Amino acid sequence: MLILARKVNERIIIGDDIEISVVDIKGDQVKLGINAPRSVKVYRQEVFEAIQEENRKAAETTSRDIPSLTQFLEPGASGESEEKDSEEKP
Amino acid sequence: MLIFTKIYGQLEVDDKQLIHFPSGLYGFESLHDFALLDAHQEPFYILQSVEKVETAFILINPYVFRPDYVLEIPDNDLEEIGSPEQDDVLVFAIVTIPSEQREMSANLQGPVIINRQGRLGRQSISLNPVWETRHLIVREMAGKG
């Protein structure tokens, strides 16, 4: 891995059209400014990982039965309705 | 076309149900071809990998439980699925169903977008951080979100 030391307001250029600047440093937090073409997607790594992880979890749960959504929405139908004064509907 | 599905066994699907994902899904980048099926339980759909029977996802139309959902994604995600007209874009959220089924959640941060004319799809990442990976469907549908 290439490691570069930069101070506030100093920049790094990647390729022809990506520019990263150090906007601010406070304690252990660094604020970065990123200039890149719209075709370059920039995400926080944890967002990316959270979606991967949720996909893996979602793929595992398909081995279980798929519930019908309505069973949770009709009062009393699920047996653990949150309504305290649920009315009997004809 | 006859395909094998994780949930419903062997199934005959129409070519119109086959969707190509040039980039796969996050964490499943090597799988590119899926069949979009109606689940037996409304309002869910199944996205079944054609290449790997054990990989299937449950999908929901996010507007069913969050009518206020707004798709905010990078333009080039739409370009990857052929820049469809707005009417041709289908939007889904991947559903996770834990053992306590009432706690089922939908991933609104990583919506699945499909161009139904071109039969191309991809998973996008919302540019708006209010949409998270775990929205509790039952609670939010009841207006308690």
Side-chain angles (χ1 to χ4, degrees):
Chain A
M1 187 195 289
L2 172 68
I3 298 175
L4 302 171
R6 300 277 68 192
K7 292 178 178 148
V8 171
N9 292 328
E10 291 186 337
R11 293 161 191 242
I12 293 168
I13 309 290
I14 300 175
D16 293 330
D17 43 20
I18 299 173
E19 185 183 279
I20 299 172
S21 51
V22 179
V23 175
D24 193 18
I25 304 172
K26 260 190 201 131
D28 62 354
Q29 197 179 46
V30 180
K31 270 192 188 144
L32 301 174
I34 298 155
N35 263 321
R38 283 190 333 148
S39 60
V40 175
K41 295 176 205 166
V42 180
Y43 299 108
R44 291 182 176 88
Q45 187 195 18
E46 56 269 30
V47 168
F48 210 76
E49 287 174 348
I51 290 176
Q52 285 187 336
E53 177 58 27
E54 197 57 34
N55 279 354
R56 285 195 201 100
K57 236 187 267 170
E60 281 167 24
T61 62
T62 44
S63 48
R64 300 202 181 99
D65 289 341
I66 305 172
S68 124
L69 191 51
T70 49
Q71 78 186 76
F72 298 116
L73 300 172
E74 287 161 12
S78 69
E80 49 165 329
S81 169
E82 286 173 23
E83 273 86 11
K84 283 184 178 117
D85 53 346
S86 61
E87 290 173 17
E88 288 287 328
K89 282 184 184 149
Chain B
M1 178 179 163
L2 197 63
I3 63 163
F4 293 90
T5 70
K6 182 176 181 180
I7 299 172
Y8 302 130
Q10 257 188 54
L11 217 59
E12 180 70 30
V13 298
D14 195 286
D15 281 354
K16 278 187 232 158
Q17 293 173 268
L18 299 175
I19 316 288
H20 183 66
F21 284 71
S23 306
L25 297 172
Y26 292 113
F28 296 84
E29 286 81 1
S30 62
L31 301 176
H32 300 285
D33 291 292
F34 288 84
L36 182 63
L37 318 165
D38 288 318
H40 294 170
Q41 298 84 352
E42 283 189 36
F44 299 110
Y45 301 85
I46 311 280
L47 191 64
Q48 169 66 53
S49 166
V50 173
E51 296 148 294
K52 200 172 171 200
V53 64
E54 57 272 35
T55 302
F57 299 92
I58 299 165
L59 306 182
I60 190 170
N61 173 344
Y63 304 102
V64 165
F65 73 104
R66 285 302 295 249
D68 59 334
Y69 185 61
V70 179
L71 185 70
E72 292 172 68
I73 56 171
D75 288 342
N76 51 321
D77 283 0
L78 287 164
E79 283 161 24
E80 186 177 309
I81 60 166
S83 305
E85 299 288 316
Q86 204 172 348
D87 288 350
D88 289 327
V89 180
L90 304 176
V91 182
F92 296 101
I94 297 178
V95 178
T96 302
I97 301 180
S99 50
E100 179 51 66
Q101 294 183 329
R102 179 182 277 274
E103 302 295 314
M104 67 171 102
S105 62
N107 183 351
L108 296 182
Q109 190 167 32
V112 172
I113 53 170
I114 291 174
N115 169 359
R116 63 174 171 186
Q117 287 295 331
R119 295 193 281 119
L120 287 169
R122 77 159 283 137
Q123 187 170 27
S124 206
I125 297 182
S126 175
L127 296 171
N128 187 340
V130 303
W131 305 114
E132 301 171 359
T133 53
R134 299 194 73 246
H135 286 259
L136 295 174
I137 296 171
V138 174
R139 184 179 304 171
E140 297 190 15
M141 200 163 183
K144 292 169 191 164

